[in-house]
């Protein structure tokens, strides 16, 4: 046994609060925007900046299946049948996830709510807590262009972006020399179809939020660093106003 005395309290490791969470109100953020607007990337950056959990619906579905909970079994069953997870089931999953997270910190939600009904359910769950809803706006033509330049390497599977004037034969994967191929999901026709589907469900969600003082629109055409800066400035400014 060590002869050394236990550290006196003043030398005990301080119960530190992670940077960004000290003495501030919870940061509750909902990011909405079309597929390809970059909200997944921005959600990750916000989660790091504010030390809050990133709640993406894709990850929730995967973790529910992994956990094998009752909800997870329902998800697995639905996905095995090749069906889409219903709005109600998705709302239950997000509710369960939020209930486990620390309300004093907050969250960044990515991919939810998808419907006005889910938006109302989220309002009910959060009660009086302030929630910032930010739409990352990008024109359809730009999304089609962005997706059109996305390639996945058929060897190392890394997804990367290529120049607009891309010649598949002359430009192999810079990491492994494999062939860069376009995923079927990124074909312009498919992207346009996804954008149309998105508009159908997103319009009522935007209607639900757009008259609130906590609703903001950020230009997603800018470089992703500028988008991140705009999101941070909005969140910080809103925090300072409270
Ligand atoms: Zn490769």
């Amino acid at each position: 046994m060590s002869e050394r005395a236990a550290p006196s309290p003043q030398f005990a490791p301080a119960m530190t609060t992670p940077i960004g969470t000290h003495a501030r109100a919870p940061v509750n953020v909902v990011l909405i925007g079309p597929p390809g607007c970059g909200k997944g990337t921005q959600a990750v950056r916000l989660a790091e900046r504010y030390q809050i959990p990133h709640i993406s619906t894709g990850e929730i579905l995967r973790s529910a299946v992994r956990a094998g909970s009752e909800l997870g079994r329902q998800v697995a069953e639905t996905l095995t049948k090749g069906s889409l997870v219903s709005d109600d089931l998705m709302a239950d999953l997000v509710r369960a996830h939020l209930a486990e997270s620390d309300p004093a910190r907050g969250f960044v939600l990515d991919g939810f709510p998808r419907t006005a009904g889910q938006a109302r359910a989220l309002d009910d769950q959060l009660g009086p807590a302030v929630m910032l809803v930010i739409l990352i706006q990008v024109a359809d033509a730009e999304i089609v262009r962005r997706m059109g330049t996305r390639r996945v390497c058929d060897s190392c599977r890394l997804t990367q972006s290529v120049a607009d004037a891309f010649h598949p034969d002359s430009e192999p994967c810079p990491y492994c020399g494999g062939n860069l191929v376009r995923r079927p999901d990124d074909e312009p026709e498919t992207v346009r179809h996804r954008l149309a589907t998105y508009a159908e469900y997103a319009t009522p969600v935007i209607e639900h939020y757009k008259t609130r003082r906590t609703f903001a629109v950020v230009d997603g055409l800018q470089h992703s660093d500028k988008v991140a800066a705009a999101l941070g400035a909005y969140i910080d400014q809103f925090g300072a106003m409270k």
Side-chain angles (χ1 to χ4, degrees), residues 153-158 160 173-180:
C153 172
D154 67 1
S155 176
C156 73
R157 309 310 299 170
L158 269 178
Q160 42 209 292
C173 171
Y175 304 101
C176 76
N179 296 316
L180 295 180

Side-chain angles (χ1 to χ4, degrees), residues 72-90:
R73 274 197 298 278
Q74 289 179 45
V75 172
E77 222 169 85
T78 310
L79 297 179
T80 308
K81 281 189 290 188
S83 319
L84 285 176
V85 173
S86 73
D87 285 344
D88 285 347
L89 179 52
M90 198 66 237

Side-chain angles (χ1 to χ4, degrees), residues 96-173:
H97 216 83
L98 282 177
E100 281 169 17
S101 65
D102 180 1
R105 288 168 70 200
F107 58 81
V108 53
L109 260 177
D110 156 24
F112 185 92
R114 268 179 68 99
T115 65
Q118 289 182 349
R120 282 190 295 272
L122 185 60
D123 287 345
D124 289 346
Q125 184 174 2
L126 285 181
V130 175
M131 180 173 67
L132 307 179
V133 180
I134 309 173
L135 168 64
I136 301 180
Q137 202 159 49
V138 181
D140 284 6
E142 170 64 12
I143 304 260
V144 172
R145 194 196 67 79
R146 283 184 189 180
M147 301 300 218
T149 62
R150 199 155 74 165
R151 296 291 185 279
V152 60
C153 172
D154 67 1
S155 176
C156 73
R157 309 310 299 170
L158 269 178
T159 298
Q160 42 209 292
S161 158
V162 295
D164 283 314
F166 172 70
H167 304 290
D169 297 335
S170 57
E171 291 170 60
C173 171

Side-chain angles (χ1 to χ4, degrees), residues 172-190:
C173 171
Y175 304 101
C176 76
N179 296 316
L180 295 180
V181 295
R182 189 184 259 166
R183 298 186 323 157
D185 270 6
D186 293 338
E187 291 294 341
E189 266 321 292
T190 314

